[in-house]
Amino acid sequence: MTRAEEEVVIHERKTLGFWIYLMTDCVLFAALFATFAVLKNATAGAHGGPELFDLPFVLIETIILLTSSFTIGMALLGSVRGYKKQTFIWLFVTFALGIVFLSMELYEFMVLISEGYGPQRSAFLSSYFTLVATHGIHIAIGLLWMAVVIVRLWRHNFKKTDINRLALLGLFWHFLDIIWIFIFSFVYLIGGMA
Amino acid sequence: MFESIQQIVFGRLTFEDFIHEPIMAGAGIGMVGALFAVIIGLTFFKKWKWLWHNWITALDPKKIGIMYLIVAAIMLFRGLADALLLRAQQATNGSAELLNSDHFQQIFSAHGSIMIFFVGMGVIFGIFNLIVPSQIGSRDVAFPFLNSVSFWLFAVGMILINMPMVVGEFSNAGWLAYPPLSGLEYNPGVGVDYWIWALQISGIGSLLSGINFFTTIIKMRAPGMTLMKMPIFTWSVLMSTSLIMFAFPILTVTLGLLALDRTLGMHFFTTMAGGNPMMYINLIWAWGHPEVYILVLPAFGIFSEVVATFSKKRIFGYTSMVIALVAIAFLSFTVWLHHFFTMGAGADVNTLFGIMTMVIAIPTGVKVFNWIFTMYRGRVDFKTPMLWFMGFIVTFTLGGLAGVMMSVPAVDFQFHNSLFLVAHFHTMIVGGVLFGAFAGFAYWFPKFTGFMLNERLGRYAFWFWIVGFLLAFVPLYILGFMGATRRLDHYDPSLGWQGLFIVAGIGVMLICVGVFFQLLQIVYSVIKRKENPAGSDPWDARTLEWATNSPPAEYVFATIPTVTTRDAFWEMKQTKKKPTEPEYEDIWLPKNSGAGIIIGLFVLIFSGAIVWHMWWLAVLGLLGAIVTTIIKLSDDEPDYKLTAAKIAKHELKLKLKLQEKTV
C-alpha cells in the first residue's frame, strides 16, 4: 500500500470513529432527555414550561440553526470542488449564524434567571437548563472547531486533511441540528403545552 | 479582606485539610515518600530521558498496555490494603480501635471505586492494548494519539482518587455514592467531589478507548479475517467496547448531574424542590450493570484462548460462543433494576427484571459448557494459566448460582444489601475478572518479555489465592444468611458473627501471601530470564499474536499476514508453508508525542481545582487542555517512515540472534 492509499484508509477509519463518537454523544443526550422527561412536572410550585417558554423566540432560534446546517453543507460542497471563495463565505455565514444562535440562547437563559427561574429554582428547571446548555456547549465547541478549520484552510490552502476535517465538522454540525430538533419538539413544544 | 482573597485563590482549601488521623497520614506520607524515592532514583540513575522517550510519550500500544498494567497493579495493592483494614476492623469487631466510623466508610468507598475503576478497567485496557492489535494482524490501534490521551486520563483519575490521602478526605458514601447521602446536604465536604471527578475523568478515558478499540477491530483486521474468523478474545473485546460505548455516556451524565447538584446547587437528586434521588439509582445502574459485563466479557475471551491452547483443541462451539457473547452484551442492558428490587417498583416490573436476570444465565451457561467440552478429550496441560481457569470455572459457577438465587425478587428482599450480595459480586469479579487477568498475564507474559514466568512460584500463588479466596468469601455467604448487612464497622457480639469474620480475615491474609508469591514470581523470573527464553511460541498457541517475535518488534509484523481460517496461526503451523522470502514495504508508525501527558496534567489541574472550588485555576486548566489539543492536532506529520530496508535489516538481525541461541 502506498502512503497515498493508506491516507485514504486512515481517513475512512477516522470517519467511522467519528460516527461512533456521535452515537455515544447520542446516548449522552438520550440520558439527559430521559432526565428531563422524569423531572418535567417537578416544578416545586414554581412556573413550568407553558408559562416560561417564549415559543416564537425559540422558533427563530430553530430556523437560524437549521439554516446554518444548510450553509455548512454549501461550504463543504465548495471545498470539495475547490471553490475557495465560496467555501469561506459559507463558512463565515455558518459561523455567524452559530454565534447568533448561541447569543439568543444565552439571552433566553439570562431572562429566565433574572426573573428568578434559574436552574436552582426547581428540578424541572435544573433539567431544562442542563439539557439545553449541554447542546449549547456542543455548539460552542463546534464554533471553536470551525474557527480552527477556517484558519487552517486559509493558511494551508485547502489541504486534503483539512477538507476531510471540514467534512467531519459538517457531520458534527448536522448532528447538533438533529439534537436541537428533538429539544425543540420535546422540551419546547410538548413541554410548553399547558 | 484577607479571607476573601484567600477564598478566591484557594477556594475551600485550608491548612487543616492536610492534617489527617494516623493511619491515613501514614499512608499519605508513605505514598509521597515513595514518589520522592522514585524521583530521586530516576535523577540519580539519569533515567529521565529514557522514561520520557520510551514510556511517557510512547504511542505504541504495547507500551501503553504495560503502563496500564503497572498502574492497575499499584492500585491492586492499594485496594488490597483497604480490604485488609476493613477485614481487621470487622474481625476484631472494632475493639482494635483501628478506624473510626467515618474513616471506615471512606475506606470501603475507596476500596470499591478503586477495584472497579482502576484495577478492573486498568487490567482490561492493558490487555486490550497488548493483545488486540497483534491478534487481528494489525500493527497499531486506529487512533494512536487518542490511545495515549485515554491512558493519561485514566492516570489522572488514579491520582485524583489517591489525593485524599494527602489533602482533604474521601467520599464516605459507598462506591456508587447514592444520593441524598452523597448530596450537598449530608456531604458538604470535598470527599464526594473527589469521587465524582476521579470517576468522571477516567470514565471519559474509558469511553475514548472503547471507541478506539471498536474502530480498530472493525477497520484494521488482517486481510481474510472476516468477523466469524476472529479469535474469541477479539470478539469479547468487540462486545465489551460496544457496551462501553452505550454505557459510559450514561455514567458521564449521571456524575455530571450529581456534580451540578453539588457545585451549582441544582436539584436533580436532592430531596427538595422536586429532585428525585431514585432517578440517580436508575441512571447509575443503567451504566453499572453493563459495566460488570464490560469487565467480565474480556475475561471470558482470555479464558477461551487459554482453554483452547492448553487443551490443544480448537474452541468447542465457536459460533455458539459468539452468539452467547452478543446475547450477554444485549441482555446486560435489560437487567439493571435487579440491583434495587426493594425500591418498590411494583410486582410486574420486578418480575420482568427478575426473569431477564435469569435469562442472562443461559448464554453464560453455554459458555461454561463450551469451555468444559473444549477440555473434553483434549490433551490438557495444567500450566498456571490453566490453573487460574480451573479456579475461575468453579468459583464463577458457584457465584453465578448465588446470582440466580438473588434474581428472584422475593428472595432478594432477604438478601438485599446483605453480605450474601457482597460475597456474590466478589466471587464474580475476583473469580471472573481478576482470575482472567491473572490467566492472561501468565499466558501472554512470555510474548511481551521474551522469557517465561517461573511455573512453581505461579502455582504457589494460585493455591494461596484460591484457598484464601474461598476462606474470605464463603463465610460472607453464611453471614449473609445470618442477617449480617454490608458496611458494618461493629456489631453486637451476641450475634455470634465474629468467628466467621475472623475466618474471612484469615482468607484475606492468605490472598496477600498469594500476591506476595506473584511478586516474587515476577522478580525471580526477571533475574533468571537468561535461563528461560520463551521463543516466539512457547505454548504452541493458535492465534496471530504468537506469529510475532517475543518481544514483538515495534512494527509487530514485518509483513501483514493473510488469514484463511479460524485459529490462523495454528493453521499456518499445520500446513507448514515454507515462508517465501518476504517482500518488505515501507511502513509509517506514529511519532512519540508528549501532548497526551500534558493534556492529562491540565485536566488534573482542572478537576482538582473544581473539587476545591478554585475557579480561576479550573478555567486555566481547561484552557490549557484545549490549546494543547489544538496544537497537537495541527501537527501535520504525526507519523514517521520506517523504510523497507531498515525492517529487512532488523528482521535479519533477529533471525541471526535466534540461530545463535539454538546453536
Side-chain angles (χ1 to χ4, degrees), chain B residues 104-166:
Chain B
F104 182 81
Q105 288 165 349
Q106 289 185 35
I107 289 178
F108 69 62
S109 307
H111 170 77
S113 314
I114 285 176
M115 286 301 201
I116 295 288
F117 281 89
F118 298 99
V119 180
M121 293 306 272
V123 294
I124 69 157
F125 280 126
I127 294 174
F128 285 8
N129 268 288
L130 287 169
I131 307 304
V132 169
S134 54
Q135 196 166 58
I136 59 173
S138 159
R139 294 194 173 103
D140 207 338
V141 294
F143 312 115
F145 173 64
L146 190 68
N147 200 16
S148 162
V149 173
S150 296
F151 169 73
W152 286 109
L153 292 180
F154 169 75
V156 165
M158 185 273 278
I159 294 170
L160 279 171
I161 210 164
N162 284 293
M163 224 148 78
M165 289 207 285
V166 180

Side-chain angles (χ1 to χ4, degrees), chain B residues 277-288:
Chain B
M278 286 324 288
M279 186 172 63
Y280 177 92
I281 296 165
N282 268 295
L283 282 170
I284 198 92
W285 281 114
W287 158 81

Side-chain angles (χ1 to χ4, degrees), chain B residues 327-565:
Chain B
I328 293 173
F330 177 76
L331 291 172
S332 71
F333 273 99
T334 62
V335 298
W336 80 89
L337 195 127
H338 69 210
H339 295 273
F340 43 95
F341 279 141
T342 51
M343 178 172 103
D348 296 348
V349 175
N350 278 358
T351 308
L352 174 80
F353 280 92
I355 291 171
M356 292 318 286
T357 308
M358 293 172 204
V359 169
I360 209 168
I362 296 170
T364 319
V366 167
K367 300 190 81 66
V368 169
F369 281 112
N370 278 344
W371 288 318
I372 293 172
F373 283 129
T374 307
M375 287 165 65
Y376 178 66
R377 291 205 166 164
R379 194 177 284 255
V380 185
D381 188 2
F382 286 99
K383 288 276 169 26
T384 336
M386 203 57 194
L387 288 182
W388 288 114
F389 168 75
M390 298 305 287
F392 154 80
I393 205 153
V394 174
T395 56
F396 197 78
T397 308
L398 289 175
L401 288 175
V404 175
M405 275 174 74
M406 283 190 294
S407 73
V408 182
V411 178
D412 183 74
F413 271 66
Q414 285 300 311
F415 294 138
H416 186 76
N417 265 357
S418 73
L419 283 177
F420 187 86
L421 163 81
V422 173
H424 160 69
F425 70 71
H426 279 87
T427 322
M428 304 315 264
I429 292 187
V430 179
V433 182
L434 218 50
F435 283 14
F438 292 155
F441 184 76
Y443 177 53
W444 280 307
F445 184 86
K447 177 85 298 188
F448 290 94
T449 56
F451 54 91
M452 309 295 288
L453 278 174
N454 184 283
E455 261 313 298
R456 179 188 291 264
L457 289 172
R459 217 169 287 154
Y460 290 168
F462 168 75
W463 283 111
F464 273 105
W465 253 102
I466 188 85
V467 173
F469 174 73
L470 292 173
L471 278 181
F473 292 106
V474 173
L476 297 198
Y477 281 115
I478 302 167
L479 280 166
F481 277 127
M482 292 162 77
T485 50
R486 67 200 293 199
R487 298 170 176 169
L488 290 175
D489 67 332
H490 64 276
Y491 40 84
D492 194 323
S494 67
L495 289 164
W497 294 345
Q498 194 164 12
L500 286 167
F501 272 122
I502 290 172
V503 175
I506 293 169
V508 177
M509 282 193 241
L510 288 182
I511 290 177
C512 289
V513 178
V515 171
F516 168 74
F517 273 112
Q518 285 177 305
L519 279 180
L520 191 67
Q521 182 195 26
I522 295 171
V523 173
Y524 183 84
S525 308
V526 170
I527 293 170
K528 298 266 177 183
R529 65 185 176 278
K530 292 265 157 56
E531 291 158 39
N532 302 301
S536 67
D537 181 23
W539 311 119
D540 197 8
R542 318 179 69 85
T543 42
L544 276 182
E545 76 271 22
W546 298 98
T548 60
N549 290 309
S550 303
E554 196 193 355
Y555 48 81
V556 191
F557 295 98
T559 51
I560 297 290
T562 304
V563 174
T564 51
T565 54

